[in-house]
C-alpha cells in the first residue's frame, strides 16, 4: 500500500530523519533511565526485605535465650524459699538453687547476692567466691524498687572472670517483703558477637544492640571501644525509640556513613536491635549494572545519532543534487537565464493569471543582430561570449520578481513582463538597448556598440489571445524591427498578429523616438 503523499515527502526529508535520529536515542535514554530506576528500586526492596528477615531472626534468638536465662533466675529466687535449705550441705544447697541455671558456653556466672552485696551462693564454686556488688547498678535498682522485675544492666567486666558480660538480675525478697538481695546471671558478650558474625552485611554494614537508655551493648563488626558507649540524644537513636519497629535512612553518629536502618524492640525487654546496611553497599551491584547498561545504551544512541546524521547528510546532498538538476533543467547553461522549458511554464501561468485578473501581459522577443556574421568571423567562442553578455544585459533590465528573461534558442531571447502595459514594456526595452550598447568583447576587439539587438513587443491587454498568438505577434514585430533597420524595438498592434499598423522605436545614443 502506497504511503500518503505528505507522509512520503516527510520521510524523504533530511530534517525528518535527523529529528528521528535524535528522538530515537532520547526515547532509548528515557526507557533505559526508567529501567535503571526500577532496578534501583528492586535493589532497595531486596535490601529492606533482607534487613527485616535478619532482624526477625536475631530478635527471636535473643528474646528466646533471654527468656530461658530469666527462667533460670526466677528458679533461683523460687528455690531460695525451699524449706530447710539452710540446713543442708553447701554442695546440696548449690544443686538446689541452681538446678535450672543455664550451663551453655556463653553463660557467665550465676550468683545469689545478699542484702549487703556479698556473694551468698555461687553456681560456679563451693564455697562461693568472695566479692561485694553493692556498688553495681542492678543491686541499687532492686534495693530501691521492689516491683522492677527483670533488670538488664549495662555491659560490664566481671570481677570474677575478667570477661565482658551483660548482667540480668531479679530481686530477692525476705518473708516480710523487705529487700533480701539479688539473683544475678550474666551472659557473655561473645554470645552476641558469635550470633552477629554469622551474618554478612557488606563492608559498611552493621548490627547494633542497645539498651533503651542509649547504651550500646554490642556492635558488629566488633570494636572494644564501642561497647558501653551511649548515643542517647542522637537523631538515629531517637527514631529507634519513636516506634516499636520500622525502617529509615540516616547517617551514623559513629562514623558518618549513610545507612538504611531496620530496627525493632526485642520482645518486652528494654533492648533495641537494628540492622544497618550501607546505602553504598545496597547500590553497589545496581551501580555496576547501571554502568554497563549506560555504556551500551550511550554507545547505541551515539551510533544511532551518527547514522542518522550520516543519512541526513546523504539526503541533503541528494536533495541539493535534485534541486540543482531541477534548476539546470530550467536554466540555460550558457547564459544562466531561464531556458525554453522554464519560459513556457511561466508563460502559461502568467497567461492564465492575466486571463483571470484582466491585467496586461507584455512579451519582448529579442534577437542579436548579425549574429551569424559575428560567429563566422570571430568563431563560436566569441559568439558564446556575446550570448553570455546579452544574458547579463537582460538580467540587468529585468528587476521585478515576477518578470522572466529566457533564452529561447540560438541568439533569440524573450522577456516576459506580467502586469505590464505597453509603456512599461517599452521602458524595459530601452533599458535593455542601453545595457547592450555598453557590451564589449575585448578578446575579439569588439568595443561598446558593436553588438545590437532587435526587439519585438506584443501586449495582451485582456483580449484573451492564447500564448501562441501573443508569441507570434511579438515574433512578427521582431522581424519588423529587423526589416526596419535593426537595433530597435517594434510594437505589434494589439488588434492582431502581423497587423501592418505597427510602430517602431529607433534608439540612437541616449535618445529614443517612436516611429
Amino acid at each position: 500500500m502506497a504511503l500518503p503523499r505528505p507522509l512520503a515527502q516527510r520521510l524523504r526529508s533530511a530534517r525528518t530523519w535527523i529529528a528521528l535520529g535524535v528522538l530515537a536515542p532520547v526515547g532509548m535514554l528515557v526507557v533505559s533511565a526508567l529501567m535503571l530506576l526500577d532496578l534501583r528500586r528492586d535493589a532497595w526492596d531486596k535490601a529492606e526485605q533482607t534487613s527485616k528477615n535478619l532482624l526477625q531472626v536475631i530478635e527471636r534468638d535473643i528474646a528466646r535465650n533471654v527468656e530461658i536465662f530469666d527462667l533460670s533466675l526466677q528458679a533461683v529466687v523460687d528455690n531460695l524459699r525451699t524449706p530447710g535449705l539452710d540446713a543442708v550441705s553447701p554442695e546440696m544447697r548449690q544443686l538446689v538453687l541452681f538446678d535450672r541455671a543455664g550451663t551453655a558456653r556463653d553463660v557467665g556466672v550465676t550468683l545469689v547476692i545478699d542484702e549487703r552485696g556479698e556473694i551468698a551462693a555461687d553456681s560456679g564454686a563451693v564455697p562461693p567466691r568472695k566479692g561485694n556488688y553493692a556498688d553495681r547498678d542492678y543491686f541499687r535498682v532492686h534495693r530501691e524498687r521492689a516491683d522492677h522485675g527483670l533488670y538488664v544492666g549495662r555491659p560490664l567486666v566481671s570481677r570474677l572472670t575478667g570477661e565482658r558480660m551483660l548482667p540480668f538480675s531479679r530481686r530477692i525478697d525476705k518473708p516480710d517483703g523487705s529487700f533480701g538481695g539479688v539473683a544475678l546471671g550474666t551472659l557473655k558478650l561473645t554470645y552476641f558477637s558469635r550470633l552477629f558474625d554469622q551474618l554478612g552485611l557488606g563492608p559498611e554494614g552493621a548490627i547494633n544492640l542497645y539498651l533503651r537508655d542509649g547504651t550500646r551493648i554490642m556492635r558488629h563488626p566488633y570494636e572494644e571501644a564501642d561497647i558501653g558507649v551511649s548515643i542517647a540524644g542522637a537523631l538515629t537513636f531517637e527514631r529507634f525509640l519513636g516506634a516499636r519497629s520500622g525502617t529509615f535512612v540516616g547517617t551514623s553518629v559513629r562514623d558518618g556513613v549513610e545507612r538504611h536502618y531496620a530496627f525493632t524492640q526485642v520482645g518486652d525487654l528494654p533492648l533495641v536491635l537494628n540492622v544497618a546496611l550501607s546505602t553504598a553497599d545496597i547500590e553497589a551491584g545496581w551501580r555496576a549494572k547501571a554502568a554497563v547498561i549506560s555504556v551500551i545504551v550511550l554507545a547505541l544512541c551515539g551510533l544511532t545519532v551518527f547514522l542518522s546524521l550520516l543519512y541526513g547528510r546523504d539526503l541533503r546532498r541528494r536533495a541539493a543534487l535534485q534541486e540543482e538538476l531541477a534548476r539546470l533543467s530550467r536554466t540555460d547553461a550558457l547564459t544562466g537565464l531561464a531556458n525554453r522549458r522554464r519560459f513556457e511554464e511561466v508563460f502559461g501561468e502568467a497567461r492564465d493569471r492575466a486571463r483571470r485578473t484582466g491585467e496586461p501581459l507584455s512579451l519582448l522577443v529579442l534577437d542579436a543582430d548579425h549574429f551569424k556574421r559575428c560567429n563566422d568571423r570571430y568563431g563560436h567562442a566569441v559568439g558564446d561570449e556575446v550570448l553570455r553578455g546579452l544574458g547579463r544585459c537582460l538580467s540587468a533590465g529585468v528587476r521585478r520578481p515576477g518578470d522572466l528573461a529566457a533564452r529561447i534558442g540560438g541568439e533569440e531571447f524573450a522577456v516576459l513582463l506580467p502586469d505590464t502595459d505597453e509603456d512599461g514594456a517599452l521602458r524595459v526595452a530601452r533599458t535593455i538597448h542601453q545595457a547592450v550598447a555598453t557590451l564589449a568583447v575585448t578578446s575579439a576587439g569588439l568595443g561598446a556598440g558593436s553588438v545590437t539587438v532587435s526587439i519585438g513587443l506584443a501586449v495582451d491587454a485582456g483580449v484573451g489571445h492564447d500564448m501562441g498568438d501573443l508569441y507570434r505577434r511579438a515574433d512578427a514585430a521582431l522581424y519588423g524591427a529587423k526589416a526596419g533597420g535593426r537595433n530597435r524595438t517594434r510594437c505589434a498592434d494589439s488588434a492582431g498578429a502581423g497587423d501592418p499598423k505597427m510602430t517602431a522605436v529607433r534608439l540612437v545614443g541616449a535618445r529614443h523616438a517612436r516611429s
Side-chain angles (χ1 to χ4, degrees), residues 70 73-81 111-115 138-152 168-185:
D70 185 33
L73 294 179
Q74 292 184 49
V76 171
V77 174
D78 292 340
N79 290 339
L80 283 171
R81 302 192 185 98
L111 304 175
V112 174
I113 301 172
D114 64 20
E115 67 273 20
Y138 54 80
F139 186 85
R140 292 197 297 268
V141 167
H142 287 301
R143 184 177 57 191
E144 295 167 4
R145 292 184 54 185
D147 59 345
H148 193 282
L150 179 68
Y151 176 77
V152 183
F168 297 86
S169 59
R170 279 191 171 274
R171 176 185 170 104
I172 299 173
D173 289 328
K174 293 180 179 181
D176 60 0
S178 62
F179 177 65
V182 173
L184 172 68

Side-chain angles (χ1 to χ4, degrees), residues 131-136 156-163:
N132 186 283
Y133 295 91
D135 59 331
R136 295 293 197 187
L156 49 80
V157 176
S158 173
R159 293 173 180 172
L160 298 178
T161 66
E163 296 179 90

Side-chain angles (χ1 to χ4, degrees), residues 15 39 49 59 90 146 178 327 441 479 506:
R15 289 184 177 180
L39 287 174
Q49 189 60 47
E59 188 270 337
S178 62
R327 187 189 68 80
V441 183
Y479 281 100
R506 171 82 168 137

Side-chain angles (χ1 to χ4, degrees), residues 347 350-361 459-473 494-496:
F347 196 174
R351 182 66 189 85
D352 293 340
R353 186 167 57 253
R355 189 187 300 273
R356 292 193 307 270
T357 63
E359 295 293 333
L361 174 64
V459 180
D460 183 355
V463 176
H465 298 116
D466 59 21
M467 292 189 298
D469 178 65
L470 184 62
Y471 191 88
R472 284 192 296 273
R473 290 170 55 215
S494 60

Side-chain angles (χ1 to χ4, degrees), residues 330 340-350 404 467:
R330 301 189 303 268
R340 187 184 188 94
R341 177 183 176 185
R342 176 62 176 163
F343 172 75
E344 290 176 351
E345 292 175 357
V346 177
F347 196 174
E349 295 170 358
L404 180 72
M467 292 189 298

